[in-house]
Amino acid sequence: MASSFQRAKVRAMFEAFDADGNGYLEERDFEALAARWELLPRVASGPELTARVRAVMLGWWQHLSTVAGGGPVEQIDLDDLMAMVDRLPTMREAVVATADVVFDAVDENGDGRISRHEHGRLVDTWHGRSIPTGDVFDRLDQDGDGFLSRSEFALLWTQFWTSDDPAEPGNLMCGPVNGTPAA
């Protein structure tokens, strides 16, 4: 059972994914999410990366819709998403594979590192709007080199989706969460 912190974190993602604001996640919300990611420069200019992004985003919808009702359903509520998140610690490979695709999509200049600016684009893309992040990047960048490597990113991404510990830096991966201030 998730804590109030975990629920707040997942609720923020639920609200970001719910493109039409109807209180449910539906396939069209994941289509809209994929379309937001397709606007990122590196994704927009690369058909192979576009296909990978779409496959990951819509793949998660397929998984969620199947897990939620024991078979494909058309709508998912927050409790359904929470049940899926509770399973993610046992799905580490899928979580890391998603991190890999997101990393490639956000790494605008293809240098194999995520900068503060690129991380900001990640947060804004997830949420579909500009989100003030304050010192979030500094808290993610544990070695203080000004970048997130692919391995750092994968660890932080995994923490975001699986951690129930507000002290773990990965919980800030998609922006500030209630209980973890931006500044």
Side-chain angles (χ1 to χ4, degrees):
M1 187 71 149
S3 70
S4 60
F5 170 75
Q6 180 83 342
R7 193 162 180 86
K9 183 173 59 168
V10 174
R11 174 177 280 121
M13 289 295 90
F14 184 93
E15 291 169 359
F17 296 164
D18 184 11
D20 61 8
N22 70 352
Y24 294 97
L25 299 182
E26 300 160 309
E27 186 171 13
R28 66 179 173 228
D29 294 316
F30 283 76
E31 289 278 354
L33 180 62
R36 287 197 311 252
W37 282 92
E38 290 169 6
L39 296 175
L40 291 174
R42 192 157 178 222
V43 179
S45 66
E48 184 270 335
L49 185 53
T50 299
R52 287 175 57 211
V53 165
R54 287 192 68 70
V56 163
M57 300 304 163
L58 296 177
W60 279 109
W61 164 252
Q62 293 302 319
H63 195 70
L64 281 166
S65 71
T66 300
V67 168
V73 296
E74 293 186 21
Q75 293 182 322
I76 293 171
D77 64 18
L78 179 60
D79 289 333
D80 295 328
L81 182 58
M82 288 302 306
M84 179 70 222
V85 168
D86 285 343
R87 294 176 179 207
L88 291 179
T90 66
M91 301 172 61
R92 204 165 211 69
E93 284 184 34
V95 174
V96 171
T98 300
D100 195 46
V101 171
V102 170
F103 185 96
D104 289 340
V106 174
D107 182 15
E108 288 180 19
N109 60 5
D111 68 354
R113 307 178 304 176
I114 301 299
S115 68
R116 178 183 307 276
H117 167 77
E118 290 166 334
H119 175 259
R121 294 284 299 262
L122 175 149
V123 173
D124 293 350
T125 300
W126 269 123
H127 292 275
R129 60 188 169 81
S130 180
I131 299 289
T133 58
D135 72 346
V136 163
F137 187 83
D138 295 329
R139 293 164 68 188
L140 294 172
D141 181 18
Q142 296 287 290
D143 63 8
D145 69 355
F147 298 95
L148 302 177
S149 69
R150 188 175 293 274
S151 61
E152 288 171 315
F153 188 90
L155 173 64
L156 293 164
W157 186 262
T158 301
Q159 285 177 353
F160 179 82
W161 287 106
T162 63
S163 176
D164 205 8
D165 179 357
E168 286 193 316
N171 285 308
L172 299 170
M173 189 60 138
C174 295
V177 178
N178 289 341
T180 56

